[in-house]
């Protein structure tokens, strides 16, 4: 039987169930094969109330994959990423040799047995910590800073468009923001955009005064995603999400399956993970 406090070591990370804080402590290894995002994060403490489900599925090249699915709205990093992270960079995945499948399943059961009845409900506040300010980010057309109270853009002479250069450097206090949009630099049109409460934004990030454009060597995932998460966490702390009127304390079986379908469609669940959770929830609803 798996006990709280035991440790599971996989490829490039170690997971530990911590009984004192009722959480999972994830420590990421350093090395050339470890995803740079994991190295930048160093370690993460995930409260069990921030987890909605666990799965163990077959991986590639004689491996198994333990996955903890973050509860919607619980982790600013996951919210900012919005399903854009490559599978290998997902900090909620632990890859182990296939001969350790029994250990992974025991760990998943121990973790899953401690999840509360609201595990599949959206969290009303962030439960996982984000990197703290002050933070700096070098984009293709700007240096972006966040001091905990405001986000600033200092335009680059060589990268910024005439629109941005003529407008001058910009400063946006948290009170002026409604949200943050992160488009991965590993896809087309990578950028960081601040969503403003007032005023229409130019849909072109290279002309929008509240956006910074990524490019080759600028705005890498391990730098820009934690930055976006930090701003999002500070913004949520300032304007917490109100409870949904009349919300139920538990989803019906149909609602849970529908939610799984949405996560799968958004790329937050692999085919194997979706099938495993679908079968489990279907069995529980019978």
């Amino acid at each position: 039987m798996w006990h709280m406090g035991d440790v599971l070591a996989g490829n490039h990370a170690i997971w530990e169930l911590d009984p004192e804080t009722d959480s999972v402590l994830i420590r990421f290894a350093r090395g050339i094969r470890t995803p740079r995002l994991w190295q930048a994060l160093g370690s993460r403490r995930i409260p069990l109330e921030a987890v909605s489900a666990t799965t163990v599925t077959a991986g590639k090249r004689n491996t198994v994959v333990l996955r903890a699915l973050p509860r919607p709205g619980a982790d600013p990093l996951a919210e900012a990423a919005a399903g854009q992270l490559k599978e290998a960079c997902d900090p909620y995945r632990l890859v182990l040799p296939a001969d350790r499948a029994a250990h992974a399943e025991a760990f998943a059961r121990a973790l899953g047995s401690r999840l509360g009845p609201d595990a599949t409900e959206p969290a009303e506040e962030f439960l996982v910590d984000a990197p703290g300010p002050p933070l700096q980010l070098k984009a293709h057309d700007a240096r972006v800073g966040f001091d905990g109270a405001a986000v600033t853009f200092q335009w680059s002479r060589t990268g910024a468009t005439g629109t941005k250069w003529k407008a001058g450097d910009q400063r946006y206090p948290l009170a002026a923001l409604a949200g943050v949009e992160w488009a991965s630099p590993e896809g087309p049109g990578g950028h960081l955009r601040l969503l403003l409460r007032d005023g229409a934004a130019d849909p072109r990030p290279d002309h929008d005064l509240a956006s910074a454009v990524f490019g080759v060597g600028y705005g890498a995932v391990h730098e820009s995603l934690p930055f976006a998460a930090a701003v999002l966490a500070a913004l949520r702390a300032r304007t917490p999400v109100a409870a949904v009127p009349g919300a139920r304390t538990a989803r019906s079986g149909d609602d849970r399956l529908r939610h799984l379908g949405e996560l799968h469609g958004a790329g937050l669940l692999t085919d194997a993970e979706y099938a495993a959770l679908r079968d489990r929830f279907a069995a529980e609803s019978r």
Side-chain angles (χ1 to χ4, degrees), residues 214-266:
F214 302 148
V216 178
Y218 297 97
V221 171
H222 70 281
E223 298 171 337
S224 61
L225 180 56
F227 186 101
V231 177
L232 191 60
L235 184 60
R236 179 73 62 86
R238 179 182 175 87
T239 55
V241 177
V244 179
R248 293 170 292 178
T249 58
R251 293 177 181 263
S252 68
D254 288 344
D255 286 342
R256 295 169 79 188
L257 291 173
R258 188 178 304 111
H259 177 61
L260 281 182
E262 293 170 354
L263 293 174
H264 181 240

Side-chain angles (χ1 to χ4, degrees), residues 115-282:
L115 301 184
D118 297 335
T120 57
E121 292 293 321
E124 295 182 0
E125 62 182 2
F126 286 137
L127 303 171
V128 182
D129 291 338
L135 296 171
Q136 297 289 326
L137 171 65
K138 187 175 182 181
H140 173 67
D141 60 356
R143 286 186 179 275
V144 192
F146 177 51
D147 62 6
V151 180
T152 56
F153 294 85
Q154 295 179 305
W155 306 122
S156 164
R157 282 184 176 273
T158 57
T161 58
T163 300
K164 291 183 174 181
W165 189 247
K166 291 176 182 178
D169 296 343
Q170 302 292 310
R171 181 180 185 275
Y172 297 95
L174 288 178
L177 307 184
V180 180
E181 176 184 279
W182 179 78
S184 175
E186 296 180 344
H191 64 268
L192 173 73
R193 185 195 301 273
L194 304 180
L195 306 179
L196 306 182
R197 291 186 178 277
D198 301 315
D202 192 310
R204 299 167 298 176
D206 58 341
H207 285 73
D208 179 17
L209 299 182
S211 296
V213 176
F214 302 148
V216 178
Y218 297 97
V221 171
H222 70 281
E223 298 171 337
S224 61
L225 180 56
F227 186 101
V231 177
L232 191 60
L235 184 60
R236 179 73 62 86
R238 179 182 175 87
T239 55
V241 177
V244 179
R248 293 170 292 178
T249 58
R251 293 177 181 263
S252 68
D254 288 344
D255 286 342
R256 295 169 79 188
L257 291 173
R258 188 178 304 111
H259 177 61
L260 281 182
E262 293 170 354
L263 293 174
H264 181 240
L268 296 176
L269 286 176
T270 65
D271 293 343
E273 290 167 343
Y274 169 70
L277 288 171
R278 178 195 60 200
D279 294 345
R280 181 194 303 177
F281 288 167

Side-chain angles (χ1 to χ4, degrees), residues 95-119:
V95 179
L96 306 103
D99 60 9
R100 302 207 66 198
H103 295 84
E105 290 169 357
F107 193 99
R109 286 194 298 271
L111 197 161
S113 68
R114 300 181 66 87
L115 301 184
D118 297 335

